[in-house]
Amino acid sequence: MSDDFFPVPESWAKGALMDRAAREADYARSINDADAYWLERAQRLDWITPPTKANESSFDEADFGVKWFADGVLNVSANCIDRHLATRADQVAILWEPDSPDAQPRRYTYAQVHEAVCRFANVLKAAGAKKGDRVTLYLPMIPEAAFALLACARIGAVHSVVFGGFSPEALAGRIQDCDSTLVVTADEGRRAGKSVPLKANVDAALKDCPSVKKVVVVQATGGAVTMQDGRDLWLHEEAARASADCAPEPMNAEDPLFILYTSGSTGKPKGVLHTTGGYLLWASLTHELCFDYRPGDIYWCAADIGWVTGHSYIVYGPLANGATTLMYEGVPNYPTPARIWQVVDRHQVQTIFTAPTALRALMKEGDGFVHSTSRKSLRLLGTVGEPINPEAWRWYHGVVGEGRCPIIDTWWQTETGAAMIAPTPGATDLKPGSATFPMPGVVPQIVDGEGVVLEGAAEGNLVIARSWPGQMRTVWGDHDRFFQTYFTTFPGKYTTGDGARRDADGYYWITGRVDDVINVSGHRMGTAEVESALVLHESVAEAAVVGFPHDIKGQGIYAYVTLNSGEEATDDLRKTLVKWVRTEIGPIATPDAIQFAPGLPKTRSGKIMRRILRKIAEGEVSAQALGDTSTLADPSVVDNLVANRQG
Ligand code: WTA
């Protein structure tokens, strides 16, 4: 890894939110005088009843629980909208850029967002949603997606956003798990000129979801849909009838705000639960520290609202801070690989925040597309979702930002709510590929396999030693799974599932997952989920899935499949299985390679040795790379696997 050093640029050293000394002092206080620090920081939010208590969490089994600001009362949508009306009612809050460059952008001021959200909230109420009810959102990247989040928050309903690229099966599973009573969707989504049949997918999913009573449908493309009488409502018809006022529901800081399903090491996605006060504080504070937002800036997080990045950095963080947040309907390379930079010029964007996979894909197309645009407005470049390789970092910094924009590499997870390890632009000297230092209150540690804390320069498992306000509170419906998943591997600490290295200067470098989660194009995928989908197919007896390095996607999906006896291993069947996984989970889970394997490498106790499967998928097939295979029940299966490697 590169150890080059990029000091804070001159232009940033002046007038930044924090310089290095200020950040260091702030961090020290967040650790040494934590409760006072957090009660003070909490004042950045508008409370109905301000909290008098900060952190009451414990990671120990005896009194386990995560709890922050527990006697405070507030409403998230009032914090993201109403409190700005006095000073910036006419400022654009949401700036929407459509999929097609020929369509018109839309702009919503804070006053207009207020009205749209109030009407939407009243529609949800009329459709039966109450405080605490779960509402599943299955939406494209349109302004109504942001309104829907805020409308739920306004009435205290718990939203569960399901990414629009997920299949009806995946959607149904996520609706059933949290017993949603209401689904909000659109007729269709639009991405790269193609339409996505969202309402039809909802219709298919709801065949197995008896809890859902109503479906609110946004008219996005005008495409034909079937509306079920008594169940389905058009948002625009209901909103026109609804009142433009809706008082925000007073919520306890620990009342649930949202559930977001994410992949873990087992086949069943976990419903990560975030609550009201701590989450909003964390999203808003880290948005300020990472992006140093200035009034008038146009800030663009190019994520999808279906992922946590969209929640925290398109909607909640920026709106809590009174920013203008740009929402983009489309994809980075449509209709041309210059599109992102054209949008930057069109709207004079100061900050862009995207994923390494998009950068690698655009980098491959050559610098000409970047050079065809000005990008003079850019001040800051963010990245998130996977480790950024130094080559992509340098391209982003040198070619896109012409050397003047700091790269803000933010490491975090759905579980952490918002950024945990990340630079502050005016304070942090950068190293390409390092997420640098912890945010306030975050105590990262590197531990070895036995949990021994390693000091100084070290590499091992990344854990977090104490709670922070934006930490997830539980796995929906399964509190024990929350404890077992995150707090038992290294007792008393939050286990991230990531590996990390800390260098001699104290910089953190995330090395990737150490569990069976893989990161495909910045999307998190449990290998067990893909395996479960494969074994559902009638021809498949057994499947083992691993990640392998992929130039653009970061990691690709490599599946070893053992067929039922009598089944023939044909190319057609391979294609069928690829399609099968796409329909079961969604296109993001498309296997890159399927290798038919008469046997998998198992220990005598029946455990699959994934280490060997990973090595073969990576193309590392020397005896030295494969290591000791003598403990396998049948060492000869390895020769067969090596001989039939795909790719
Ligand atoms: C990975 C996305 C390296 C990591 C916000 C983590 C990263 C997982 C970075 C969480 C980064 C995220 N550098 N790795 N800057 N950001 N990751 O839940 O493996 O979709 O555990 O949250 O993405 O993915 P999730």
Side-chain angles (χ1 to χ4, degrees):
M1 262 184 223
S2 162
D3 265 5
D4 289 11
F5 208 61
F6 289 77
V8 173
E10 247 344 271
S11 61
W12 262 99
K14 297 189 289 279
L17 172 73
M18 274 187 184
D19 62 12
R20 180 174 170 168
R23 174 161 164 161
E24 281 173 2
D26 181 77
Y27 181 77
R29 208 176 145 235
S30 76
I31 300 301
N32 302 328
D33 192 10
D35 278 347
Y37 175 89
W38 284 116
L39 288 174
E40 202 177 295
R41 281 293 195 188
Q43 291 171 19
R44 65 186 291 114
L45 301 182
D46 254 18
W47 297 84
I48 300 164
T49 311
T52 63
K53 296 172 182 159
N55 182 13
E56 297 176 274
S57 313
S58 162
F59 292 172
D60 296 326
E61 188 160 15
D63 54 351
F64 175 69
V66 179
K67 195 156 100 172
W68 282 83
F69 309 119
D71 59 353
V73 178
L74 74 167
N75 180 280
V76 165
S77 94
N79 270 279
C80 291
I81 312 170
D82 306 44
R83 68 161 161 161
H84 303 310
L85 293 179
T87 49
R88 41 172 79 94
D90 298 327
Q91 180 200 309
V92 174
I94 296 176
L95 166 52
W96 180 74
E97 169 69 21
D99 183 55
S100 160
D102 303 326
Q104 282 311 306
R106 285 197 251 153
R107 291 177 174 79
Y108 295 86
T109 63
Y110 273 94
Q112 289 167 328
V113 171
H114 181 260
E115 177 176 342
V117 169
C118 283
R119 288 187 189 272
F120 207 142
N122 285 325
V123 171
L124 298 179
K125 273 188 181 170
K130 305 180 303 296
K131 177 172 177 173
D133 287 353
R134 274 78 59 207
V135 176
T136 295
L137 312 181
Y138 185 65
L139 286 161
M141 283 294 292
I142 52 178
E144 288 80 0
F147 302 159
L149 260 64
L150 294 161
C152 288
R154 196 158 191 95
I155 64 171
V158 184
H159 60 73
S160 164
V161 181
V162 177
F163 174 56
F166 277 125
S167 66
E169 285 75 11
L171 172 62
R174 287 159 173 79
I175 291 173
Q176 290 155 358
D177 185 76
C178 66
D179 290 311
S180 290
T181 50
L182 199 77
V183 174
V184 180
T185 189
D187 46 8
E188 297 174 321
R190 199 161 2 228
R191 270 165 74 83
K194 298 199 200 73
S195 43
V196 188
L198 296 175
K199 173 63 165 64
N201 286 351
V202 168
D203 293 340
L206 292 193
K207 294 201 170 88
D208 301 318
C209 300
S211 61
V212 175
K213 303 293 177 245
K214 298 277 180 205
V215 179
V216 175
V217 186
V218 182
Q219 194 167 48
T221 65
V225 293
T226 330
M227 296 292 278
Q228 185 174 312
D229 240 12
R231 187 194 71 182
D232 300 349
L233 308 163
W234 283 112
L235 175 69
H236 61 280
E237 290 176 1
E238 303 302 316
R241 279 198 279 274
S243 155
D245 265 317
C246 175
E249 186 75 28
M251 303 294 286
N252 183 273
E254 283 298 344
D255 281 336
L257 177 65
F258 68 85
I259 301 168
L260 189 55
Y261 286 88
T262 191
S263 300
S265 304
T266 69
K268 191 170 176 258
K270 290 186 284 275
V272 168
L273 183 86
H274 283 288
T275 56
T276 300
Y279 169 80
L280 188 65
L281 177 64
W282 196 237
S284 132
L285 176 63
T286 57
H287 174 262
E288 177 173 287
L289 294 176
C290 293
F291 303 114
D292 201 339
Y293 184 84
R294 315 277 169 84
D297 281 1
I298 309 290
Y299 158 90
W300 179 15
C301 169
D304 191 285
I305 236 158
W307 312 116
V308 72
T309 308
H311 285 57
S312 303
Y313 293 116
I314 296 176
V315 181
Y316 290 123
L319 294 182
N321 293 344
T324 298
T325 184
L326 192 153
M327 254 181 108
Y328 174 44
E329 185 179 32
V331 301
N333 57 358
Y334 175 83
T336 135
R339 184 71 194 281
I340 291 198
W341 325 121
Q342 291 169 351
V343 174
V344 164
D345 285 353
R346 181 179 207 177
H347 298 296
Q348 293 295 294
V349 169
Q350 274 70 44
T351 298
I352 176 158
F353 188 25
T354 188
T357 186
L359 298 173
R360 287 190 299 263
L362 297 175
M363 190 167 111
K364 189 188 69 167
E365 304 290 340
D367 300 355
F369 290 105
V370 185
H371 291 147
S372 72
T373 61
S374 152
R375 290 156 287 108
K376 284 283 174 282
S377 59
L378 284 176
R379 227 162 47 99
L380 207 68
L381 304 170
T383 147
V384 58
E386 47 177 322
I388 181 164
N389 45 313
E391 196 194 351
W393 195 102
R394 284 168 192 288
W395 185 79
Y396 203 18
H397 185 262
V399 178
V400 175
E402 295 171 337
R404 61 174 195 280
C405 308
I407 305 289
I408 305 301
D409 176 4
T410 64
W411 171 81
W412 54 295
Q413 313 178 296
T414 306
E415 294 90 334
T416 70
M420 297 288 280
I421 299 181
T424 295
T428 316
D429 300 332
L430 306 172
K431 296 187 186 189
S434 167
T436 73
F437 302 109
M439 288 277 115
V442 173
V443 184
Q445 290 180 344
I446 293 181
V447 299
D448 69 11
E450 273 68 58
V452 176
V453 177
L454 307 176
E455 305 290 347
E459 183 164 346
N461 302 288
L462 179 65
V463 299
I464 311 291
R466 57 160 102 157
S467 186
W468 63 98
Q471 184 169 23
M472 72 182 281
R473 301 306 200 249
T474 192
V475 171
W476 180 261
D478 197 348
H479 197 54
D480 189 51
R481 187 170 173 202
F482 178 46
F483 181 73
Q484 297 298 334
T485 306
Y486 300 101
F487 302 94
T488 54
T489 318
F490 304 110
K493 291 170 183 171
Y494 168 78
T495 300
T496 64
D498 279 319
R501 172 169 84 87
R502 189 176 45 229
D503 69 19
D505 301 322
Y507 283 68
Y508 285 86
W509 305 71
I510 309 301
T511 53
R513 301 288 305 197
V514 293
D515 55 10
D516 291 326
V517 172
I518 54 180
N519 201 321
V520 183
S521 300
H523 300 318
R524 188 168 152 175
M525 179 71 44
T527 52
E529 264 170 87
V530 185
E531 290 163 4
S532 309
L534 281 166
V535 297
L536 280 177
H537 191 276
E538 56 184 13
S539 307
V540 176
E542 195 170 24
V545 169
V546 297
F548 70 99
H550 187 286
D551 282 352
I552 306 288
K553 299 180 180 182
Q555 280 187 297
I557 299 178
Y558 195 109
Y560 297 87
V561 170
T562 307
L563 296 174
N564 284 319
S565 57
E567 295 288 347
E568 219 183 314
T570 62
D571 269 348
D572 272 353
L573 180 54
R574 192 177 274 128
K575 285 187 198 126
T576 305
L577 292 177
V578 168
K579 224 173 118 206
W580 173 263
V581 175
R582 288 173 66 96
T583 2
E584 282 295 315
I585 305 176
I588 55 171
T590 309
D592 296 278
I594 291 191
Q595 173 171 354
F596 292 121
L600 294 172
K602 292 185 187 168
T603 60
R604 288 189 193 102
S605 60
K607 199 169 167 340
I608 295 175
M609 281 181 81
R610 290 167 172 282
R611 173 179 63 76
I612 292 176
L613 295 177
R614 274 189 217 110
K615 286 289 175 202
I616 296 174
E618 285 165 14
E620 304 241 7
V621 295
S622 65
Q624 194 194 6
L626 293 175
D628 183 12
T629 55
S630 64
T631 57
L632 292 175
D634 176 8
S636 75
V637 298
V638 175
D639 299 332
N640 179 291
L641 290 173
V642 169
N644 293 299
R645 192 179 164 268
Q646 298 288 300

